[in-house]
């Protein structure tokens, strides 16, 4: 039942309440600090950090999505995401805060999956850090399910994450 509820909440948050901008550049290449462009295949053959963002639109709100990914080859070592929205409509903020808190509650007992939901006057933020090097992958998959997951053979794969992120208009820069 948790998997179904979690899936429904994630779908609502990602697709119903926000929609991708059509003008967003998709991830095909990643720019590094030197301005050099690498293909995704080149990136997944080295060690580094990606800073990724995506934009979206929502009624009466300005959503934001920021991700920092530490990786080695095609394995994600850790992922830090800061998602949320700014709005002057308190009912929109209430809806997001409730959804973020409900999703976070599923991960409360899972070590190395840290979440924090904060709210101020006009912003709700969901701050999540996942340490894939230390987390119990079996327990994580039990919560999330194995279908449409970035985890394959016990490892979180950067290439899979990038392919999913590409579908929703995410852009990344190598740090």
């Amino acid at each position: 039942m948790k998997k179904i509820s979690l899936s429904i909440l994630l779908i609502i948050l990602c697709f119903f309440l926000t929609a991708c901008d059509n003008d967003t550049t998709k991830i095909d290449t990643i720019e590094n600090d030197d301005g050099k462009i690498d293909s995704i295949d080149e990136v997944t053959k080295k060690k580094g950090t990606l800073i990724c963002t995506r934009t979206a639109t929502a009624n009466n709100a300005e959503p934001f999505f920021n991700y920092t990914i530490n990786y080695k080859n095609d394995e994600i070592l850790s992922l830090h995401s800061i998602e949320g929205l700014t709005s002057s409509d308190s009912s929109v903020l209430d809806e997001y805060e409730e959804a973020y808190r409900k999703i976070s509650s599923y991960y409360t007992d899972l070590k190395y999956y840290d979440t924090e939901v904060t709210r101020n006057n006009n912003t709700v933020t969901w701050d999540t850090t996942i340490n894939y090097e230390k987390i119990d992958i079996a327990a994580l998959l039990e919560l999330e399910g194995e279908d449409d997951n970035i985890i394959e053979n016990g490892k979180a794969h950067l290439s899979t994450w990038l392919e999913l992120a590409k579908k929703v208009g995410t852009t990344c820069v190598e740090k």
Side-chain angles (χ1 to χ4, degrees), residues 92-108:
V92 170
L93 295 172
D94 291 344
E95 189 173 4
Y96 269 80
E97 181 180 16
E98 182 181 330
Y100 287 149
R101 289 193 189 284
K102 184 162 179 104
I103 293 168
S104 293
S105 73
Y106 294 117
Y107 297 94
T108 303

Side-chain angles (χ1 to χ4, degrees), residues 25-41:
T25 304
K26 306 288 187 213
I27 301 172
D28 290 317
T29 58
I30 296 169
E31 184 176 336
N32 64 29
D33 286 340
D34 299 330
K36 182 180 175 193
I37 304 294
D38 291 332
S39 72
I40 290 173
D41 287 340

Side-chain angles (χ1 to χ4, degrees), residues 68-86:
T68 302
I69 303 167
N70 294 304
Y71 67 94
K72 182 177 181 182
N73 300 319
D74 192 30
E75 182 182 347
I76 296 176
L77 306 175
S78 66
L79 184 142
H80 180 212
S81 71
I82 299 174
E83 303 181 4
L85 76 153
T86 301

Side-chain angles (χ1 to χ4, degrees), residues 3-167:
K3 290 179 192 176
I4 293 170
S5 296
L6 181 61
S7 297
I8 290 169
L9 278 172
L10 287 173
I11 289 168
I12 288 170
L13 285 173
C14 291
F15 298 107
F16 180 68
L17 295 176
T18 64
C20 295
D21 290 339
N22 291 332
D23 297 338
T24 304
T25 304
K26 306 288 187 213
I27 301 172
D28 290 317
T29 58
I30 296 169
E31 184 176 336
N32 64 29
D33 286 340
D34 299 330
K36 182 180 175 193
I37 304 294
D38 291 332
S39 72
I40 290 173
D41 287 340
E42 290 173 319
V43 169
T44 58
K45 292 178 183 169
K46 56 186 175 181
K47 181 178 180 177
T49 301
L50 293 177
I51 306 297
C52 303
T53 60
R54 79 176 176 97
T55 59
T57 57
N59 292 335
N60 300 321
E62 292 180 38
F64 53 88
F65 306 88
N66 302 296
Y67 311 97
T68 302
I69 303 167
N70 294 304
Y71 67 94
K72 182 177 181 182
N73 300 319
D74 192 30
E75 182 182 347
I76 296 176
L77 306 175
S78 66
L79 184 142
H80 180 212
S81 71
I82 299 174
E83 303 181 4
L85 76 153
T86 301
S87 178
S88 58
D89 185 339
S90 64
S91 66
V92 170
L93 295 172
D94 291 344
E95 189 173 4
Y96 269 80
E97 181 180 16
E98 182 181 330
Y100 287 149
R101 289 193 189 284
K102 184 162 179 104
I103 293 168
S104 293
S105 73
Y106 294 117
Y107 297 94
T108 303
D109 296 329
L110 188 58
K111 284 177 113 180
Y112 308 108
Y113 195 112
D114 302 312
T115 65
E116 181 180 3
V117 178
T118 56
R119 179 172 175 173
N120 64 28
N121 295 339
N122 63 350
T123 303
V124 174
T125 303
W126 185 28
D127 190 324
T128 304
T129 302
I130 307 168
N131 184 333
Y132 284 106
E133 290 185 289
K134 295 182 178 181
I135 198 166
D136 181 343
I137 296 291
L140 178 62
L141 288 174
E142 188 173 315
L143 282 170
E144 295 182 343
E146 293 187 31
D147 295 336
D148 298 322
N149 202 303
I150 64 169
I151 297 172
E152 299 168 20
N153 300 319
K155 303 288 182 188
H157 287 269
L158 178 61
S159 57
T160 306
W161 190 93
L162 290 170
E163 283 302 316
L164 291 170
K166 181 178 181 178
K167 292 177 183 177

